[in-house]
Amino acid sequence: EDDLEKKQPVISKDSLSGLHILLVEDNEINRMVAKGLLEQKNCIVEIAGDGAEAIRMFKESAYGYYNAILMDVRMPVMDGLEATKKIRALDRADAGVVPIVAMTADAFEEDKSKTFEAGMNAHVTKPIDPQVLYETIAKHI
């Protein structure tokens, strides 16, 4: 599995090429839009349909495999806040440091503070502004 052991790519603001992104989103249209935006920057995108699936995928991944997680906040089965708390609590070093970015239509300060309390690093509001998404990922990698 040498592919997984490659050094982290050097990121310029305009280049997210080669990053492994876990996209956690239950809405198919939102999923397609976000995946398309990330693939325009040559990111490698894997999809989880809810928080529980995201935790399973993260647990089963090699150490350091995901460069970032984009986490919808409101999802059935397990919401993004709960999933983030559970990922952060996993007993592996990358669980505490992998950037987790909230994607949500909730733009109020109270909603943002909930995402940070859960352990998320940043907050991107929907509808997603591509430039904001790219800059947010680059800033936290």
Side-chain angles (χ1 to χ4, degrees):
E1 311 241 329
D2 283 308
D3 292 344
L4 303 178
E5 299 304 323
K6 284 182 183 158
K7 288 185 176 151
Q8 297 293 319
V10 176
I11 306 299
S12 72
K13 195 165 127 180
D14 298 320
S15 170
L16 303 175
S17 186
L19 292 180
H20 286 96
I21 308 283
L22 177 54
L23 174 63
V24 189
E25 170 66 71
D26 64 313
N27 179 291
E28 193 174 342
I29 293 169
N30 292 343
R31 225 181 2 233
M32 285 171 41
V33 168
K35 187 173 192 273
L37 291 174
L38 294 166
E39 288 177 345
Q40 283 176 14
K41 293 291 184 188
N42 297 314
C43 293
I44 299 147
V45 183
E46 293 179 25
I47 308 254
D50 61 62
E53 187 179 357
I55 293 165
R56 181 187 55 73
M57 289 174 71
F58 188 84
K59 277 184 182 173
E60 292 173 2
S61 69
Y63 174 83
Y65 178 74
Y66 292 112
N67 301 105
I69 299 172
L70 297 181
M71 182 79 73
D72 185 18
V73 173
R74 293 187 184 183
M75 294 178 289
V77 184
M78 182 185 295
D79 71 31
L81 300 176
E82 186 66 23
T84 297
K85 289 176 190 169
K86 289 189 186 296
I87 288 171
R88 292 293 188 221
L90 291 174
D91 188 21
R92 50 187 275 182
D94 58 345
V97 296
V98 64
I100 301 179
V101 178
M103 295 188 311
T104 177
D106 303 326
F108 298 109
E109 284 307 314
E110 175 190 336
D111 299 307
K112 284 184 187 176
S113 66
K114 281 181 191 163
T115 61
F116 294 124
E117 284 165 23
M120 294 181 175
N121 301 85
H123 192 276
V124 175
T125 53
K126 295 176 186 175
I128 294 171
D129 175 325
Q131 203 52 45
V132 170
L133 179 66
Y134 302 146
E135 289 173 9
T136 302
I137 293 169
K139 179 180 167 190
H140 290 280
I141 298 282

